[in-house]
Amino acid sequence: MADDSDVETPSECSMDNPNGSSYELAYQDDGPSCRKRMKLKDDKLCGVCGDKALGYNFNAITCESCKAFFRRNALKDKKVKCLFQGDCAIDVRTRRFCPYCRLKKCFDIGMKSDMILDDKERKARMEKVAENRIKRQVTQQHTIVKDEPIDPDFEASAVGSSNIYSPPTPSMEGPSSSDIPCSKSEYITFDKINVPVDSSDLPSDETMYRQLSENEQTLVTEVGIAYQTTVGSMHNSSAALQEDNYHSVNDLINHSEVAVRRLIKFVKRLEDFRRLSQEDQISSLKGAVLSTLLLRSASFYIVERDSWLTTKGEVSTVILKKATGFVELHDSHIKYCRALKTIMKNDFSLFGLALIIVIFNPDGPNVKDHQLLSDIQDKYLVLLKHYLESVFSFTYAKEYLVAITQKLNELKGISDGHAKVLLQVNPLEIEPLMLEVLNLK
DNA sequence: CTAGCCTTGACG
DNA sequence: CGTCAAGGCTAG
């Protein structure tokens, strides 16, 4: 501390020391002819090297580089010593010659290493940032429900609409009763539920089908499109799923980040979602993340070949088993996909409705307005029922409804299974957005 | 590694 | 709304 005159603590100078000199200097510098010099930038000098400084960093006025240098080095115990006498002069030119003396000078002028955020604080900070990001994404969109469709993200429109359906079944709206070439039997059965698998098994009598009201019809369609263009579309990163890009659960989680973004996009399109308070929006979103991923995986599941459909073709599900090593969980996951996909086929409206019902879960973690959530959920349950009646006839709708709701209930169990796995993951290796959204703090 | 530039949350 | 002071990112 050769000269204590130039270094003051932030508190000291901020309150009682106007220190007008800086202004004078600023003006003197540019003179009367000052071109709108940005601010009255006073020329502070770095206490370490004399370079230009913007303000305090870790309790001393320093330049950006010494700030970064200090942040990088102050906490690690060094074995490196000065090659000379330990009193090297440090200026903007020589500052990088001797890290030891530079760091020593940092401490000498009063920089405090305890102002560097530790792992815990840093993590907390990142979480806050991530949370705000989500909040912003969800909130910011005064735009109306459906005038942002232009684009979602071009891959969605490029890949999503057309070829997604190609392999197993081509169909999407309306009578999704398309047909999996499967089947020798007219009915598929699981868990005591019998539903016809082939459209030819459905009643031919028109009056056996519900006529959706106009509102219902548009809502169903919108939901289908919303799902298709967001969660239900494939994205390039699923190409990353190819080879053995998935070595660990971590990779799996991090690669799922795109899917989370899609989920946000999806809910942003729902006007009902906006009826929720901001907290409940976040809560219900978080609560639905894992389920979304599962639903999504089911929609890309190809029953006939036990594989996933990706932008790069099909990938056998065994690669996931290998990646995670959680065989048991994996098996139940696949079993789930099989069952769900068999019922829902490639009907985006169905997947969309299912997702909505999962999202508006009055029983979800941390939700405040259970009532509202429940009301909205009911609305979509009814819509789902009606939709099923319009597609599968009154005769079979009930079976489908039971089957689907049952599957949605199972979703919880499987999600929880995955959640347990997630708890074993090292938070430091996970992207902040996923950390936040999965509650892995 | 460095160092410059950028994004953020807290604070007044 | 502007300033301050953290961390992050990334050419070089």
Side-chain angles (χ1 to χ4, degrees):
Chain A
M1 288 203 203
D3 35 5
D4 13 22
S5 56
D6 57 340
V7 179
E8 299 164 300
T9 73
S11 51
E12 277 174 305
C13 75
S14 60
M15 287 316 276
D16 51 34
N17 184 5
N19 204 352
S21 59
S22 52
Y23 279 26
E24 291 174 50
L25 283 174
Y27 273 113
Q28 170 183 345
D29 213 25
D30 291 288
S33 63
C34 65
R35 14 195 298 213
K36 49 173 169 97
R37 192 88 196 112
M38 55 185 303
K39 306 272 172 59
L40 296 170
K41 225 22 184 186
D42 35 359
D43 27 20
K44 303 188 182 77
L45 295 183
C46 173
V48 178
C49 69
D51 201 353
K52 211 157 170 332
L54 292 178
Y56 281 85
N57 290 303
F58 309 107
N59 199 51
I61 294 179
T62 73
C63 62
E64 278 286 294
S65 62
C66 287
K67 162 192 165 189
F69 172 83
F70 188 75
R71 189 175 55 227
R72 284 194 304 268
N73 299 286
L75 289 180
K76 53 186 176 192
D77 35 25
K78 40 161 54 14
K79 15 179 76 205
V80 201
K81 278 234 138 195
C82 174
L83 295 173
F84 304 98
Q85 331 308 329
D87 60 350
C88 303
I90 305 293
D91 64 32
V92 59
R93 209 82 238 174
T94 64
R95 65 191 179 197
R96 75 167 76 86
F97 296 167
C98 181
Y100 176 86
C101 289
R102 188 184 188 182
L103 185 58
K104 180 174 181 299
K105 190 162 181 191
C106 285
F107 283 116
D108 284 349
I109 69 165
M111 294 181 80
K112 291 183 173 9
S113 57
D114 60 354
M115 291 179 71
I116 300 172
L117 274 42
D118 61 34
D119 277 2
K120 187 141 185 149
E121 298 168 307
R122 196 159 33 95
K123 199 164 72 96
R125 188 178 188 271
M126 294 299 290
E127 275 163 16
K128 191 159 291 176
V129 170
E131 169 126 28
N132 284 338
R133 278 230 176 92
I134 296 175
K135 210 173 282 182
R136 228 171 276 140
Q137 283 185 69
V138 172
T139 310
Q140 134 218 131
Q141 102 310 262
H142 352 255
T143 33
I144 319 307
V145 206
K146 48 184 315 186
D147 48 28
E148 159 194 305
I150 317 299
D151 142 297
D153 6 279
F154 63 60
E155 347 140 31
S157 34
V159 172
S161 44
S162 52
N163 73 11
I164 248 186
Y165 271 128
S166 33
T169 30
S171 94
M172 69 158 286
E173 289 184 35
S176 67
S177 36
S178 28
D179 19 58
I180 287 187
C182 91
S183 215
K184 16 322 183 39
S185 66
E186 330 181 273
Y187 291 81
I188 57 163
T189 76
F190 43 88
D191 302 342
K192 303 190 279 243
I193 311 277
N194 298 348
V195 287
V197 80
D198 193 338
S199 48
S200 62
D201 295 322
L202 294 172
S204 51
D205 183 354
E206 275 291 317
T207 68
M208 287 307 292
Y209 296 86
R210 170 179 286 274
Q211 193 69 31
L212 289 183
S213 74
E214 195 151 326
N215 279 346
E216 290 174 325
Q217 185 57 61
T218 48
L219 193 46
V220 165
T221 305
E222 274 174 19
V223 167
I225 292 176
Y227 185 88
Q228 178 187 17
T229 56
T230 59
V231 179
S233 72
M234 283 188 286
H235 47 80
N236 294 331
S237 60
S238 44
L241 181 142
Q242 282 319 285
E243 306 302 315
D244 12 47
N245 272 11
Y246 281 66
H247 295 104
S248 66
V249 185
N250 295 11
D251 295 342
L252 212 54
I253 297 176
N254 288 331
H255 282 304
S256 299
E257 192 170 330
V258 185
V260 173
R261 297 229 157 79
R262 301 283 167 104
L263 172 62
I264 293 174
K265 267 187 175 164
F266 178 76
V267 298
K268 277 173 65 176
R269 287 175 161 240
L270 306 176
E271 45 197 321
D272 280 317
F273 190 73
R274 262 171 267 144
R275 294 166 59 192
L276 304 183
S277 69
Q278 197 165 100
E279 297 132 296
D280 278 353
Q281 289 186 349
I282 304 292
S283 299
S284 48
L285 256 185
K286 284 186 181 179
V289 170
L290 283 177
S291 301
T292 306
L293 294 176
L294 289 178
L295 271 181
R296 194 182 132 80
S297 71
S299 76
F300 288 128
Y301 184 74
I302 301 173
V303 180
E304 296 76 22
R305 289 180 290 282
D306 188 33
S307 56
W308 312 100
L309 183 58
T310 75
T311 48
K312 288 282 182 63
E314 295 177 24
V315 176
S316 168
T317 62
V318 298
I319 76 162
L320 281 194
K321 192 189 299 203
K322 281 186 185 152
T324 63
F326 295 94
V327 180
E328 209 172 298
L329 184 59
H330 176 268
D331 288 345
S332 68
H333 177 190
I334 297 304
K335 194 171 150 225
Y336 186 84
C337 288
R338 276 190 97 72
L340 195 64
K341 185 63 184 281
T342 306
I343 311 175
M344 313 256 279
K345 305 269 175 41
N346 285 311
D347 190 322
F348 283 135
S349 292
L350 273 185
F351 275 105
L353 287 170
L355 181 53
I356 289 175
I357 289 167
V358 167
I359 292 171
F360 294 103
N361 175 15
D363 195 28
N366 299 320
V367 305
K368 290 281 183 56
D369 195 341
H370 307 271
Q371 178 99 43
L372 180 55
L373 269 290
S374 179
D375 288 346
I376 298 176
Q377 191 185 50
D378 283 350
K379 167 181 166 184
Y380 286 96
L381 280 168
V382 170
L383 184 60
L384 172 62
K385 179 164 184 284
H386 287 187
Y387 177 62
L388 293 173
E389 287 169 348
S390 78
V391 173
F392 299 109
S393 81
F394 293 108
T395 313
Y396 295 111
K398 193 141 247 157
E399 304 267 16
Y400 275 96
L401 185 62
V402 171
I404 289 175
T405 50
Q406 177 190 316
K407 282 294 152 199
L408 293 187
N409 284 331
E410 280 178 38
L411 209 45
K412 278 196 195 75
I414 302 196
S415 299
D416 290 347
H418 282 80
K420 277 192 190 157
V421 171
L422 294 179
L423 289 179
Q424 308 173 11
V425 129
N426 178 0
L428 293 178
E429 295 173 28
I430 303 299
E431 305 283 333
L433 174 61
M434 295 305 287
L435 265 187
E436 173 60 37
V437 96
L438 293 175
N439 270 324
L440 288 180
K441 327 188 182 189

